[in-house]
Amino acid sequence: GEKAEAFVSAAATLAGHGDLALALEILAPGVLRYPDSRELADLRQTVLARLMEQRQLLDPFGFVVYAQLTGAELSPVG
């Protein structure tokens, strides 16, 4: 992709089909290549939020990993 839109389009298509982990993998180099792209950053946050939602009850370690990638601060349990 010569433009940020190529990464956005590919990742949005994958996310729309439910392949969130692969969408995140596509977004990672896009964000590095186009750090000023608001659209890439927003889509990355959306994909990460959906991944967190998927894992919050069944995969707490996956949840924590994706939460850290979003920059979310988690409070201790208890």
Side-chain angles (χ1 to χ4, degrees):
E2 294 292 323
K3 297 182 179 182
E5 292 80 27
F7 289 98
V8 171
S9 176
T13 299
L14 288 167
H17 290 282
D19 200 344
L20 298 171
L22 187 54
L24 185 62
E25 291 296 318
I26 296 293
L27 288 167
V31 170
L32 289 174
R33 176 71 174 96
Y34 302 100
D36 296 331
S37 172
R38 187 84 231 132
E39 196 173 10
L40 275 172
D42 290 346
L43 182 55
R44 181 180 180 272
Q45 288 300 104
T46 300
V47 168
L48 283 168
R50 288 181 57 196
L51 284 164
M52 287 171 57
E53 288 171 1
Q54 283 183 345
R55 287 170 171 70
Q56 67 184 345
L57 298 177
L58 301 175
D59 182 8
F61 297 109
F63 174 83
V64 169
V65 168
Y66 292 125
Q68 287 177 337
L69 288 173
T70 66
E73 292 196 25
L74 303 175
S75 16
V77 176

